[in-house]
Structure formats: structure tokens, C-alpha cells
Amino acid sequence: MGEPRRAATDRRWCEKVTVAFRNTGGTAVRSGTVTFATHIIGALGIDWATIESTASLPAPIAAGAKKEKTWTVCVDDWRVPLGMHIETRDVSVRWK
């Protein structure tokens, strides 16, 4: 799994997150989940909370193949008052 690449949207409580997945194993990955840890950052840079969300892995991923997918990751709008923003800093994957 590569590092997440983030891009802003027109809503401060959402961002686009792109992640590349590479299957280095000898068999296809048939399913799995991706977990996003989205941090809510205050105007002074204080990390107020981390909200997790999950999505399905872009499967199947053939042995030796690479796939990239972009998700729009959002938290509840009330969690991000004016002057605050989100950053999806951590992404983990569970392969099946």
C-alpha cells in the first residue's frame, strides 16, 4: 500500500484520498477493507479528534498487479466548525 494522497474538496469536512495498492503475493486478493483515520484539525493546528471510516478494497487485485483508487472521505459537517479542517493521515488495509 502506498502513502495516501489528499486533495481538498469544496466542503471543509470532506477530502479526496487516493491510495495505490500493490499485490506482491502469489495469488489474487479477492476482497478486503480500507480504513481511513481522519483527523479534525483546529485553527491553531491542534488535533481535536480522529474519526475512522471504512470502504471496500478495490478488488480483485491480481498477483503482482497494482490498483489505485480515490475515495471521497467525509466526517459529519458539525464536527468541523469554521476555521477547522480535516486531514486523512492514516490508512490501513485488511486483505482477504
Side-chain angles (χ1 to χ4, degrees):
M1 183 178 80
E3 289 294 317
R5 293 189 322 267
R6 301 174 19 247
T9 68
D10 59 345
R11 298 174 292 181
R12 69 183 174 282
W13 57 88
C14 295
E15 66 182 354
K16 293 197 178 290
V17 180
T18 303
V19 182
F21 303 93
R22 182 177 304 274
N23 181 356
T24 59
T27 60
V29 173
R30 292 184 177 87
S31 64
T33 55
V34 181
T35 302
F36 303 97
T38 303
H39 298 255
I40 299 172
I41 310 297
L44 299 176
I46 296 171
D47 190 337
W48 288 98
T50 301
I51 307 297
E52 287 191 350
S53 58
T54 60
S56 295
L57 188 67
I61 304 173
K66 177 182 175 183
K67 263 195 184 176
E68 187 172 277
K69 181 162 176 148
T70 301
W71 290 270
T72 300
V73 178
C74 298
V75 300
D76 296 322
D77 58 350
W78 61 267
R79 292 183 181 270
V80 190
L82 283 172
M84 297 177 82
H85 68 280
I86 64 168
E87 295 178 6
T88 302
R89 296 179 179 170
D90 306 304
V91 178
S92 60
V93 65
R94 176 175 231 175
W95 311 89
K96 294 182 184 174

